[in-house]
Amino acid sequence: MTISDERPTTGLWNDPALPPSVRARALLDAMTVAEKIAQLGSTWPGHDDSGDVAPMQDTFRGADSFDEAIVGGLGQLTRVFGTAPVDPEAGRRRLATLQEQVVAANRFGIPAIAHEECLTGFFTWQATVYPTPLAWAATWNPELVHQMAASIGSDMAAVGVHQGLAPVLDVVRDYRWGRVEETLGEDPYLVSELGLAYVQGIQSSGVIGTLKHFAGYSTSRAARNHAPAALGPRELADVILPPFEKAVVTGRVRSVMNAYNDIDGVPCAADETLLTTLLRECWGFEGTVVSDYWAIAFLASMHHVAADIADAAGSALQAGLDVELPHTHGYGEPLRALLRDGGVSADLLDRSVLRVLTQKAELGLLDPDWHPGRYTAPADFDSPRNRGIARSLAEESVVLLDNRSAVLPLAQPGSIAVIGPVADDVRCLFGCYSFPNHVLPHHPDFPTGIHAPTVLDAIREEFPGVAVRYEAGCAVTGDDRSGIAAAVTAAAAADLTILLVGDRSGMFGEGTSGEGCDVGALTLPGVQEDLVDAVLDAARRTVLVVLSGRPYAIGRHARRADATLQAFFPGEEGGPAIAGVLSGRINPSGRLPVQIPGDTAGQPGTYLAPPLALKSDGVSNIDPTPAFPFGHGLSYTRFEIEDAHVEEAVVAVEATITVRATVSNTGSRSGTSVPQLYLTDPVASVTRPVRQLIGFTRVDLAAGETRVVEFEVHTDLTGFTGRDLRRRVEPGEIVLTVAQSAGDPGAPAHVRLEGDVRTVNHTRTMTTAVTVLGD
């Protein structure tokens, strides 16, 4: 490593009074080719000792050492906090030391951008583990997601982290995919609203948000991780792209990460149409595109669209991929050689470097008073503020699927049998991109680092004085049935049985849910199906609780259980949240962001489908009807939606439609209703979904209270991609239904749009404004 003892070279780039773009251009003009290339690379200190915490990590061991990687400058530092357990202050000191070395190793004194994962919280030891994104989605609460993201961002910014690798905006198309838990559900509007809230929240704290994975990753064939995307251009435009589009156009997100997959034979990391024409020239994106880990190298080693790493680097740079993560491979000597030999234009290099330097100027990293020691670690990464947000998210995310025997909320039972492999395993509360599940398995001597009661712990706390007996019955995975007999005995003897089954998240086959943990069928993992059958046969009364990262086909079990709850990895406060719903301390308000599939439903298949994708007697013997529909969720009170009407039944093709409906709490206790607005387009020039979500809100109602909910729907929201692949708003009849789920008949209102077909673009209205009158 060459470290200069001289003062850094200064210039206009150090003047905070100048616009970032001007400062960046001045610095770019002062750089050599080698210094420019250095700004597009990255290094991962300590990765050799981390265990496999990223895809195919073993393939790329032996990258340049840290000292070698920082010579002449560095674009990004990878996961200084998120590679091994380190307490807040030690992590801050280590990052500061690394940055001092980066600054000293280049003549301009430019630090690196430090990035971390942040999908379920700041990805570091002793930090709050929030619910997984599928659980955020079950809250249908963008405001709460914004609070969470702002809190995550403030903790990261406090210790000198500049960029967070979240949110995941992949729209679920196949529940078998292992990364369903990381998503915000199966509807592009819901994903868009919650993803926008996350972006605006984290960026309000000064941390760059990063959209993942652009694009089509969730549509992989057979739900296999990294597999080719199986989708046509209209599905891409109308289902997959809208969440990214909204986060770019409305949220002004500062970074985007490519997806690993190819679309119709073109890998996203080398797709100029996707990364430049659409993202930048059409949507106006001005930030940086960063590679998913080793995605540039994969162009040669996995996709075979490049002859070698140099060829891969040239293809990626041409496409518009600016920064290589997590190590420099292609954007190092191979790129230098390519430039020297004329294989890639120097203008392309300058284009990406200018974007990186502009971002560094915006972050204050070129300011003359910036120094690595300016940050102060918070006393606690799991602060009362954080835990309060995590608690609210967990409580609002629990979905009451069924309460057919009215057994919930529980009266004080004489005895409870708690059965199931996920009941007393804290890792079953966390997603795969939580630090305890992602990193700590490689450091078994370290404790979890946070207070996270298991569901069993929480049930004992929630029901003091009640005799609670626990039997696991079986493991989450494997074929050992030897514990089922004891579980049956415990269930038969108890007044009430709480049966907890589901997933333990992990990475690359080390879990039943998570990255690289795809499945071939939607039955419960291991021998849990046998456990459920045996316990339901024996128990007097049973509450089935599914704690998972994906929806399983549990309809036949729910029909036998007295009540059924669904919780998607609810985080460190998830145990008390589930126990609170069981006792009635918490009135459940979660709604499904994904369907619970029916007994014979095939995959891929979600609610967002045209008529022939739904049940069609005489056409197919497979019934795709879900056990519980998208948007479903019960409460301990009852809600009714009535009198949906519009101010005008006939409007122009460019207009705003005002839809109002009354929402009433007809039960005996207060609760939260989640009215949902669905669009139906009975006749169109291409097939359209039978129902499509275009608006929602949460309404708190006291017992007996009625409120009016008003949706302001711009006709832009009725648009879709036509046969000419342009987005269009067509004249004709539409139906706007205010309902409690996609399967609820609800209260419909009919509207006719009149005029000529209208073409719309990224400047269209993308959100339905909702007002609860009287608020």
Side-chain angles (χ1 to χ4, degrees):
M1 177 176 66
T2 300
I3 298 180
S4 174
D5 293 326
E6 300 178 0
R7 294 177 62 84
T9 302
T10 59
L12 292 176
W13 52 87
N14 299 121
D15 185 354
L18 294 175
S21 59
V22 174
R23 300 168 68 187
R25 171 57 69 177
L27 180 54
L28 178 75
D29 291 343
M31 285 179 155
T32 66
V33 169
E35 288 167 334
K36 292 175 183 179
I37 291 172
Q39 291 299 312
L40 305 186
S42 59
T43 190
W44 189 348
H47 81 285
D48 284 325
D49 301 319
S50 68
D52 287 339
V53 294
M56 302 186 69
Q57 186 169 328
D58 271 337
T59 307
F60 297 98
R61 295 198 190 280
D64 284 351
S65 69
F66 175 75
D67 288 350
E68 294 168 328
I70 67 174
V71 173
L74 183 70
Q76 295 220 5
L77 278 166
T78 295
R79 285 169 62 162
V80 174
F81 282 85
T83 300
V86 58
D87 66 52
E89 177 55 24
R92 183 202 66 79
R93 289 197 306 268
R94 181 166 185 257
L95 178 55
T97 299
L98 293 171
Q99 287 281 35
E100 287 172 358
Q101 294 174 270
V102 171
V103 167
N106 71 90
R107 65 188 176 106
F108 299 104
I110 308 169
I113 290 174
H115 77 257
E116 296 286 348
E117 300 286 355
C118 55
L119 194 63
T120 64
F122 184 9
F123 192 72
T124 187
W125 191 46
Q126 300 179 337
T128 304
V129 179
Y130 294 93
T132 202
L134 198 60
W136 318 342
T139 71
W140 293 56
N141 191 337
E143 293 78 12
L144 194 52
V145 172
H146 185 285
Q147 289 179 36
M148 176 197 66
S151 182
I152 293 170
S154 67
D155 284 343
M156 296 169 71
V159 292
V161 176
H162 311 106
Q163 181 165 354
L165 302 187
V168 170
L169 298 187
D170 301 307
V171 178
V172 174
R173 303 300 281 165
D174 191 325
Y175 309 134
R176 298 172 300 172
W177 189 47
R179 304 192 79 167
V180 167
E181 62 168 75
E182 300 177 48
T183 76
L184 293 166
E186 66 184 62
D187 181 87
Y189 187 86
L190 181 64
V191 175
S192 296
E193 292 299 299
L194 297 171
L196 176 65
Y198 186 98
V199 166
Q200 293 176 329
I202 197 168
Q203 294 195 163
S204 72
S205 298
V207 172
I208 295 167
T210 309
L211 308 184
K212 304 191 317 190
H213 305 86
F214 193 60
Y217 191 30
S218 59
T219 68
S220 59
R221 285 190 175 93
R224 295 180 62 251
N225 194 35
H226 290 212
L231 77 167
R234 274 180 289 278
E235 183 179 357
L236 176 67
D238 289 349
V239 179
I240 302 303
L241 293 180
F244 294 94
E245 184 180 17
K246 183 177 287 187
V248 169
V249 174
T250 304
R252 311 308 298 173
V253 72
R254 301 300 296 137
S255 194
V256 172
M257 176 180 279
N258 74 279
Y260 285 123
N261 57 277
D262 72 73
I263 300 175
D264 198 23
V266 181
C268 295
D271 192 339
E272 187 173 6
T273 300
L274 185 71
L275 300 184
T276 296
T277 306
L278 177 66
L279 182 62
R280 295 188 183 276
E281 296 173 7
C282 180
W283 294 351
F285 177 66
E286 297 180 344
T288 56
V289 175
V290 300
S291 78
D292 206 340
Y293 286 12
W294 299 297
I296 293 176
F298 287 168
L299 294 176
S301 64
M302 305 277 289
H303 290 291
H304 299 281
V305 296
D308 51 30
I309 188 63
D311 191 16
S315 294
L317 192 69
Q318 174 72 44
L321 205 160
D322 302 311
V323 180
E324 182 176 22
L325 302 180
H327 287 296
T328 303
H329 287 280
Y331 283 6
E333 182 55 37
L335 180 57
R336 187 178 293 111
L338 207 60
L339 284 158
R340 185 175 57 246
D341 297 340
V344 69
S345 164
D347 290 342
L348 290 178
L349 174 65
D350 286 356
R351 181 181 72 174
S352 286
V353 176
L354 187 61
R355 293 165 182 164
V356 171
L357 295 178
T358 300
Q359 201 155 78
K360 289 189 174 184
E362 292 168 345
L363 289 166
L365 299 182
L366 305 184
D367 293 356
D369 62 347
W370 185 90
H371 60 90
R374 67 189 297 175
Y375 305 102
T376 302
D380 187 1
F381 278 147
D382 192 24
S383 64
R385 173 200 65 180
N386 293 3
R387 292 196 72 96
I389 297 170
R391 183 180 308 116
S392 295
L393 281 163
E395 291 176 352
E396 292 187 13
S397 72
V398 178
V399 182
L400 176 59
L401 296 178
D402 196 9
N403 195 17
R404 64 187 187 89
S405 299
V407 69
L408 295 180
L410 295 176
Q412 195 79 347
S415 61
I416 297 176
V418 177
I419 307 294
V422 305
D424 197 31
D425 184 345
V426 70
R427 287 182 58 195
C428 293
L429 297 171
F430 306 145
C432 73
Y433 270 83
S434 66
F435 193 87
N437 284 27
H438 197 105
V439 176
L440 285 185
H442 305 290
H443 303 272
D445 294 335
F446 277 80
T448 304
I450 54 173
H451 176 62
T454 67
V455 181
L456 176 63
D457 293 334
I459 288 172
R460 285 175 168 153
E461 180 74 20
E462 193 77 23
F463 297 96
V466 175
V468 176
R469 177 179 173 182
Y470 169 63
E471 295 287 347
C474 63
V476 173
T477 59
D479 57 5
D480 184 357
R481 294 172 171 79
S482 61
I484 293 180
V488 167
T489 299
D495 292 335
L496 177 87
T497 296
I498 301 173
L499 177 55
L500 290 117
V501 293
D503 286 319
R504 182 193 293 115
S505 194
M507 302 286 290
F508 311 114
E510 296 300 317
T512 59
S513 173
E515 185 173 1
C517 298
D518 314 312
V519 297
L522 294 172
T523 52
L524 293 168
V527 296
Q528 292 182 76
E529 292 281 344
D530 294 345
L531 174 67
V532 175
D533 285 334
V535 170
L536 288 173
D537 285 341
R540 304 176 197 176
R541 294 181 300 161
T542 306
V543 178
L544 176 64
V545 180
V546 182
L547 187 58
S548 65
R550 64 165 60 84
Y552 285 103
I554 49 92
R556 72 181 186 90
H557 301 314
R559 289 191 293 272
R560 298 182 62 203
D562 294 280
T564 305
L565 296 178
Q566 172 69 60
F568 298 109
F569 295 143
E572 65 182 41
E573 289 287 340
I578 291 169
V581 169
L582 292 170
S583 72
R585 175 173 56 83
I586 298 164
N587 193 352
S589 62
R591 301 295 185 268
L592 289 174
V594 287
Q595 299 179 132
I596 303 297
D599 297 341
T600 62
Q603 286 294 299
T606 69
Y607 100 96
L608 197 65
L612 281 175
L614 305 182
K615 184 177 181 180
S616 47
D617 293 333
V619 175
S620 172
N621 63 312
I622 295 177
D623 182 0
T625 304
F628 300 99
F630 172 83
H632 172 76
L634 302 179
S635 169
Y636 294 148
T637 188
R638 297 181 305 278
F639 301 108
E640 291 184 2
I641 296 176
E642 300 174 306
D643 191 29
H645 61 280
V646 294
E647 287 189 339
E648 298 179 79
V650 179
V651 300
V653 291
E654 184 170 7
T656 297
I657 305 164
T658 301
V659 184
R660 294 192 182 96
T662 60
V663 182
S664 302
N665 181 348
T666 61
S668 59
R669 64 177 288 181
S670 61
T672 301
S673 174
V674 184
Q676 302 155 36
L677 181 65
Y678 290 93
L679 167 71
T680 300
D681 189 350
V683 179
S685 57
V686 299
T687 61
R688 301 284 291 126
V690 173
R691 272 190 174 180
Q692 179 176 350
L693 183 74
I694 59 168
F696 63 89
T697 192
R698 290 173 60 94
V699 185
D700 297 329
L701 293 169
E705 185 179 9
T706 295
R707 305 291 291 274
V708 174
V709 178
E710 180 179 275
F711 299 89
E712 295 287 336
V713 183
H714 196 281
T715 52
D716 286 355
L717 286 154
T718 72
F720 57 90
T721 300
R723 300 184 189 190
D724 59 0
L725 300 185
R726 293 191 297 172
R727 187 173 295 275
R728 56 199 275 131
V729 177
E730 293 185 347
E733 181 188 12
I734 59 170
V735 183
L736 299 172
T737 303
V738 186
Q740 299 193 60
S741 75
D744 172 28
H750 296 258
V751 181
R752 174 166 290 279
L753 277 54
E754 292 190 342
D756 296 329
V757 171
R758 184 167 62 89
T759 301
V760 295
N761 58 22
H762 66 284
T763 64
R764 70 190 184 279
T765 299
M766 300 187 209
T767 297
T768 295
V770 187
T771 304
V772 180
L773 300 182
D775 273 1

